[in-house]
Amino acid sequence: MHRLLLLGCLWLLAAPPASGIFQRPTGTPAPLHLQYLLEPLHPTVHTRRGATATLPCVLRALPRNYRVKWSKVEPANYRENIIIITNGLYHKNYGPLSPRVRLRHSHRYDASLTITDVALEDEGRYRCQLVNGLEDESVSLTLHLEGVVFPYQPSNGRYKFNYHEAKRACEQQDSRLATYQQLYKAWMEGLDWCNAGWILDGTVHYPIINSREPCGGRLLLPGVRTYGARDKQKDRFDAFCFTSALQGSQVYFIRGHLNFKEAGQACRNHGAALAKVGQLYSAWKFSQLDRCDGGWLADGSVRYPITTPRERCGGLPDPGVRSFGFPSKEMRTYGTYCFVGK
């Protein structure tokens, strides 16, 4: 069996070509600190869940006895988790991404990383590092998923989650804890929420558009207010979850006067399942699902998505997913939102 780090195997060395695909466009000189790696033209790669994405990493020349190491920076613990290592001839995959990653290798200078069936947890910062003794160098890239952030609390009220419970709660709703960048972007797009919630790195925040007394006072400027890092075991808050569109899926409404159990059965009768909160938000955000009807969801809450605000649908001026909270599961007042995946 071939060994990964076969440093004795040399590739044919090549000087940087004078023209062709390795030449940088006019007016974009390579940074002086990069001798072998080309600086990516677009350091952010945009994608959606379920798609295939490629993070570019191209060498201008092949040094002796080199390795290329791909890793992902995890905001929850600030560690870099190795994904794949190659010496040009052989490679080895590591970690949970292993089944879904490969090197694109469209030519011998190409060490780009391809991720198939992109998942929510794939978003973040990646590093392509050339390991070459004293001449190590690297480039950083960001994989960005189009998505939506939503606040979440359980049926027993606000501020019930420690960090680990908040993380599980988001995952149960087809989402994950949001990053600070995702929460900040959501605030810029209009998210205004007075309850503080956990995010992925273990800090606690809440986004305010309209300053008001219950939310830090009228004198504070709008912004993402922060409680900083908190005790992940003892401190309790809500959660800010992030979800993205899922290719080939659909959320739809079934009208009726159903209790929670009947709602679940109605979805199963159609070959579907009760929609999760993240799935409803995704359908609202990316499929423009717009209904004035309250419907059961898998967590026992009742909600409805509004794309075009109107007086008879809650009267609020902004689009959003409205909530009736967690009514008694015996109530026969609402329809149901069903989810069918690919």
Side-chain angles (χ1 to χ4, degrees):
M1 185 175 65
H2 296 302
R3 301 180 64 87
L4 168 65
L5 304 179
L6 189 55
L7 299 182
C9 286
L10 301 179
W11 272 21
L12 178 63
L13 299 181
S19 61
I21 61 174
F22 311 113
Q23 193 81 346
R24 295 185 62 83
T26 303
T28 56
L32 294 177
H33 67 283
L34 288 182
Q35 180 181 355
Y36 292 104
L37 294 177
L38 288 172
E39 189 80 14
L41 289 177
H42 303 289
T44 299
V45 175
H46 297 267
T47 188
R48 283 191 178 185
R49 185 164 47 152
T52 296
T54 297
L55 299 169
C57 184
V58 177
L59 285 70
R60 66 177 65 248
L62 304 176
R64 287 184 175 88
N65 300 335
Y66 78 96
R67 290 175 291 157
V68 170
K69 179 176 72 173
W70 276 99
S71 58
K72 184 174 188 289
V73 181
E74 299 295 345
N77 53 24
Y78 304 104
R79 295 179 56 186
E80 288 196 19
N81 293 331
I82 297 175
I83 299 171
I84 195 168
I85 297 177
T86 180
N87 68 345
L89 295 176
Y90 311 106
H91 70 272
K92 185 174 181 180
N93 294 11
Y94 296 86
L97 266 175
S98 181
R100 296 189 290 112
V101 297
R102 58 179 171 81
L103 295 171
R104 182 175 62 181
H105 204 57
S106 58
H107 50 79
R108 62 179 181 155
Y109 298 90
D110 185 12
S112 301
L113 182 73
T114 295
I115 305 174
T116 60
D117 194 18
V118 171
L120 291 173
E121 59 269 21
D122 297 342
E123 172 156 306
R125 188 160 63 91
Y126 291 76
R127 190 158 76 114
C128 176
Q129 181 182 16
L130 176 74
V131 182
N132 186 34
L134 297 178
E135 299 176 302
D136 294 358
E137 55 189 57
S138 66
V139 294
S140 292
L141 300 106
T142 298
L143 185 67
H144 173 75
L145 270 70
E146 300 177 43
V148 58
V149 172
F150 61 94
Y152 189 74
Q153 58 183 220
S155 59
N156 57 343
R158 58 178 278 187
Y159 294 177
K160 300 296 182 182
F161 294 136
N162 66 24
Y163 172 82
H164 305 287
E165 292 164 344
K167 185 173 182 291
R168 284 195 298 272
C170 288
E171 291 167 355
Q172 289 167 358
Q173 297 310 314
D174 194 44
S175 60
R176 67 176 304 207
L177 279 174
T179 65
Y180 182 81
Q181 289 78 9
Q182 290 164 347
L183 181 62
Y184 188 86
K185 182 175 183 290
W187 167 73
M188 292 184 67
E189 294 173 351
L191 180 60
D192 182 276
W193 196 256
C194 208
N195 294 345
W198 294 102
I199 63 172
L200 186 59
D201 65 2
T203 57
V204 175
H205 309 266
Y206 64 103
I208 294 296
I209 298 291
N210 302 306
S211 298
R212 49 203 187 272
E213 288 302 330
C215 308
R218 297 179 183 275
L219 298 180
L220 287 179
L221 294 174
V224 178
R225 313 269 173 79
T226 180
Y227 288 3
R230 311 297 293 200
D231 189 307
K232 292 182 178 181
Q233 293 288 352
K234 296 179 181 178
D235 290 326
R236 295 189 173 271
F237 298 95
D238 292 343
F240 286 106
C241 305
F242 171 84
T243 193
S244 179
L246 182 60
Q247 293 184 343
S249 65
Q250 181 187 10
V251 173
Y252 60 91
F253 181 75
I254 296 179
R255 188 182 300 276
H257 298 281
L258 309 170
N259 63 29
F260 178 73
K261 184 176 180 180
E262 292 165 345
Q265 187 59 53
C267 290
R268 289 190 291 274
N269 290 344
H270 287 76
L274 275 170
K276 298 178 180 180
V277 178
Q279 292 163 349
L280 184 65
Y281 268 92
S282 177
W284 164 73
K285 179 73 172 180
F286 297 105
S287 302
Q288 288 72 54
L289 183 62
D290 184 286
R291 290 207 65 105
C292 225
D293 308 280
W296 292 103
L297 298 179
D299 67 340
S301 65
V302 172
R303 306 173 194 251
Y304 62 102
I306 295 296
T307 302
T308 305
R310 46 218 188 261
E311 187 63 34
R312 66 183 183 87
C313 299
L316 296 176
D318 300 315
V321 175
R322 320 285 195 231
S323 175
F324 287 114
F326 294 84
S328 168
K329 291 184 177 180
E330 301 305 317
M331 287 184 63
R332 285 190 170 90
T333 306
Y334 308 105
T336 182
Y337 287 97
C338 303
F339 172 83
V340 58
K342 59 180 179 178

